[in-house]
Amino acid sequence: MSKKSINIVWFKRDLRFTDHEPLFVAQQQSSPTLLIYIFEPSIMNYDDSDVRHWRFVYESLQEMNEKLKNIQAQLYIFHQETLTVFQELANQYSIQNIYSHQEIGNKLTYNRDLSIQAFCKQNSINWKEYQLHGVIRKLKSRNNWEKLWEDKMMEMPKIINESNWNILSLNHTFYNSLKGK
């Protein structure tokens, strides 16, 4: 049995639809897009975590889902480690692309991203991360940083066409088995 081809937009600290480059690029693809956010227990329990932050995240996700109700779609929320979620999704679907912003966080999120990068490589999934702020991960030298920062800040906004969604809906039973607590 052939698995359905999909793309995934993985929301991290970028909880909006407006001017969202990963979502903008995914919207240009022909395969349906799965919208996800993952509350990762390891990150939520990390020393630099705070309940106020997670409350804000939850409220932002609820607001995003309210906007999607009009088109009978949703952003799926998981309470698992990211690798577990991607492994289960890859068992069900042929993931072509994962789109996200680069996360500039702590060592835990950096290591998580390295494991996801290895998973994607092993499963022939193209993971495209987009720069969100002036911070440039893995920059070898700061010699050209000011120009790179200015170029990023001067880019045209990536405006989402909110009438041209092609959002994947997960099977309810499958989602409930994977979403976590």
Side-chain angles (χ1 to χ4, degrees):
M1 183 172 109
S2 175
K3 294 192 253 183
K4 182 176 187 164
S5 292
I6 67 166
N7 296 306
I8 295 175
V9 173
W10 174 19
F11 289 88
K12 295 181 184 179
R13 296 177 184 247
D14 48 343
L15 303 176
R16 66 187 189 286
F17 293 134
T18 305
D19 189 21
H20 193 283
E21 191 169 6
L23 183 56
F24 178 83
V25 174
Q27 202 173 42
Q28 312 306 311
Q29 309 305 310
S30 59
S31 296
T33 300
L34 178 64
L35 307 177
I36 67 171
Y37 182 87
I38 306 169
F39 284 102
E40 301 163 273
S42 60
I43 294 172
M44 293 180 76
N45 293 321
Y46 199 63
D47 292 343
D48 66 356
S49 181
D50 186 87
V51 69
R52 290 174 298 200
H53 168 76
W54 298 114
R55 187 177 310 120
F56 172 78
V57 168
Y58 180 76
E59 290 170 359
S60 298
L61 294 169
Q62 295 307 311
E63 185 177 307
M64 293 170 77
N65 267 329
E66 277 299 313
K67 290 181 180 181
L68 292 171
K69 273 186 182 177
N70 296 334
I71 58 168
Q72 288 76 47
Q74 77 178 80
L75 188 159
Y76 290 91
I77 301 168
F78 298 92
H79 294 87
Q80 298 276 359
E81 295 302 329
T82 299
L83 186 56
T84 302
V85 172
F86 283 137
Q87 287 169 333
E88 291 300 320
L89 289 170
N91 287 337
Q92 290 287 318
Y93 298 98
S94 174
I95 304 170
Q96 302 301 301
N97 301 289
I98 297 173
Y99 301 102
S100 70
H101 280 116
Q102 279 185 349
E103 185 162 1
I104 307 303
N106 55 37
K107 179 81 168 133
L108 191 63
T109 59
Y110 182 76
N111 289 340
R112 183 255 348 255
D113 286 354
L114 291 176
S115 72
I116 297 304
Q117 185 178 51
F119 168 80
C120 288
K121 184 176 182 179
Q122 179 183 15
N123 290 280
S124 302
I125 298 169
N126 177 42
W127 179 23
K128 179 65 175 143
E129 292 182 283
Y130 295 87
Q131 183 183 342
L132 179 59
H133 303 294
V135 177
I136 303 169
R137 191 193 278 172
K138 298 182 184 174
L139 191 62
K140 303 279 188 240
S141 165
R142 290 187 52 92
N143 290 341
N144 201 23
W145 177 84
E146 189 173 334
K147 168 120 177 59
L148 294 171
W149 179 86
E150 188 171 316
D151 289 347
K152 182 65 181 172
M153 296 304 125
M154 298 306 290
E155 279 182 357
M156 291 297 294
K158 307 298 189 275
I159 304 302
I160 306 305
N161 181 348
E162 293 193 27
S163 64
N164 186 32
W165 297 100
N166 183 11
I167 299 176
L168 177 76
S169 292
L170 291 178
N171 172 285
H172 188 70
T173 303
F174 172 69
Y175 175 55
N176 282 336
S177 72
L178 181 58
K179 72 179 179 179
K181 55 181 172 162

